[in-house]
């Protein structure tokens, strides 16, 4: 199947990044969010990211304009009707994703693929909310999408080989590397990563070191590009908590128990970079 038009659902940090790399790959993109203001914000994020590439000499100004012109604002899921693929990047709440999948299943052409950028929710369950479980798949991008190379591809129980091949090809067209993974809680990326982040939060909670100290140890000692606490701030502490809860419920193992401090930060609205405060303060 040739995918030329995609609908990206959710214009937040992941959705806008996905829309950007899809448009960079030459695809026509509908960038959807419930409110027009959110779509506008997503578009601004894309412009900023593309400008970075222009300033680095990796992209010309006219190419940037052409990429932006391939992205159309959308506030209606009916736009799925024009697309061969839908990539959902809404918040990590099953109830919300369920509604989106049920609705988009009504509008998307019968042969279209419905992909989800979920970071840990079961693809098999998402597929069950549609009449096309063979054409539902996980397409898990990494943050920041424009620079990270991996896309973890998750096959639900019913996902067909044709769907997998089409999405692996699309991933490659976007300049990314597809790596396949089974539909297990947290997949591979978050099952491994979030345990490290949670452990770092426990260390901070216990007063073992400062946030900067913990991050410096992992950066200088392990050559990680970012420390676990600054990475948690980048991902969003609400997302980190949601993934740990999926892991804890999915495996029933106390090793995934979220640190109480993480829960408290989320309750306080300290969600990381996006709210200006997390383990670090970004309110300049
Ligand atoms: N758009 C365009 N370019 C961007 C960008 C963006 N949004 N963000 C960063 N860049 C570019 C910079 O311009 C720079 O380009 P250059 O190499 O040509 O100079 C390059 O990326 C590196 O950026 P910086 O110099 O500003 O900073 P760093 O060297 O620290 O790199 C980073 C930034 C790429 C984010 C790096 O710190 C990193 O790799 N961090 C780890 C990120 C990570 O682990 N992501 C996965 C999170 S888990 C996840 O997403 C799964 C989810 O389910 C939770």
């Amino acid at each position: 199947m040739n995918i030329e038009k995609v609908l990206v659902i959710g214009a937040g940090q992941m959705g806008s990044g996905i829309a950007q790399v899809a448009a960079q790959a030459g695809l026509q993109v509908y960038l959807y969010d419930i409110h027009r203001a959110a779509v506008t914000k997503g578009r601004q994020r894309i412009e900023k990211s593309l400008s970075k590439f222009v300033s680095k000499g990796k992209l010309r100004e006219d190419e940037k304009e052409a990429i932006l012109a391939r992205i159309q604002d959308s506030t209606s899921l009916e736009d799925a009707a024009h697309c061969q693929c839908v990539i959902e990047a809404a918040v990590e709440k099953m109830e919300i994703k369920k509604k989106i999948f049920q609705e988009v299943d009504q509008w998307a052409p019968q042969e279209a693929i419905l992909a989800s950028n979920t970071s840990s929710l079961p693809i098999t369950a998402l597929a069950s909310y549609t009449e096309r479980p063979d054409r539902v798949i996980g397409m898990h991008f990494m943050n920041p999408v424009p620079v990270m190379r991996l896309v973890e591809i998750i096959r639900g129980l019913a996902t067909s080989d044709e769907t997998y091949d089409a999405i692996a090809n699309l991933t490659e067209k976007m300049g990314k590397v597809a790596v396949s993974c089974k539909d297990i809680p947290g997949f591979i990326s978050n099952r491994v990563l979030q345990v490290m982040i949670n452990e770092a939060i426990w260390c901070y909670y216990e007063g073992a070191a400062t946030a900067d100290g913990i991050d410096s140890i992992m950066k200088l000692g392990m050559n990680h590009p970012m420390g676990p606490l600054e990475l948690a701030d980048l991902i969003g502490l609400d997302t980190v908590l949601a993934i740990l809860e999926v892991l804890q419920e999915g495996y029933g193992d106390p090793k995934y128990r979220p640190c109480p401090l993480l829960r408290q930060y989320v309750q306080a609205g300290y969600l990381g970079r996006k709210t200006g405060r997390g383990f670090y303060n970004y309110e300049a």
Side-chain angles (χ1 to χ4, degrees), residues 64-250:
K64 172 186 147 185
E65 293 308 324
I67 292 164
L68 286 169
R70 281 197 285 275
I71 303 171
Q72 198 166 317
D73 294 359
S74 166
T75 50
S76 168
L77 289 179
E78 288 181 35
D79 283 328
H82 316 297
C83 300
Q84 297 88 33
C85 179
V86 173
I87 306 175
E88 171 277 319
V91 287
E92 283 298 284
K93 292 207 167 79
M94 199 45 144
E95 271 318 296
I96 291 175
K97 289 191 193 287
K98 178 181 176 181
K99 271 197 192 137
I100 290 173
F101 270 73
Q102 282 171 334
E103 191 176 342
V104 103
D105 190 37
Q106 305 297 312
W107 296 110
Q110 222 180 358
E111 66 285 359
I113 293 173
L114 308 184
S116 175
N117 177 57
T118 179
S119 44
S120 61
L121 296 172
I123 301 303
T124 307
L126 285 176
S128 75
Y129 305 135
T130 73
E131 300 296 322
R132 62 181 92 197
D134 56 318
R135 271 157 289 142
V136 174
I137 193 162
M139 199 178 183
H140 183 211
F141 290 81
M142 301 294 128
N143 189 2
V145 178
V147 285
M148 302 303 284
R149 293 182 63 216
L150 175 72
V151 180
E152 199 175 27
I153 311 283
I154 305 102
R155 297 179 70 140
L157 268 191
T159 307
S160 69
D161 290 344
E162 291 74 19
T163 299
Y164 178 83
D165 291 344
I167 290 301
N169 286 338
L170 178 65
T171 302
E172 204 178 303
K173 197 170 167 187
M174 288 175 169
K176 310 282 182 200
V177 179
V179 182
S180 156
C181 163
K182 284 190 185 164
D183 191 14
I184 59 167
F187 316 134
I188 302 292
S189 56
N190 277 317
R191 179 167 168 188
V192 176
L193 175 67
Q194 301 303 340
V195 171
M196 180 189 71
I197 288 178
N198 195 35
E199 205 58 38
I201 301 171
W202 277 103
C203 292
Y204 181 60
Y205 182 57
E206 289 163 10
T210 62
D212 186 51
I214 292 164
D215 282 341
S216 296
I217 286 167
M218 298 307 288
K219 282 190 283 192
L220 302 176
M222 267 46 86
N223 248 0
H224 289 193
M226 290 175 111
L229 299 177
E230 53 178 336
L231 183 55
D233 276 357
L234 174 73
I235 293 167
L237 302 192
D238 50 342
T239 303
V240 171
L241 179 61
I243 298 168
L244 283 165
E245 282 172 341
V246 167
L247 288 168
Q248 194 184 21
E249 199 192 319

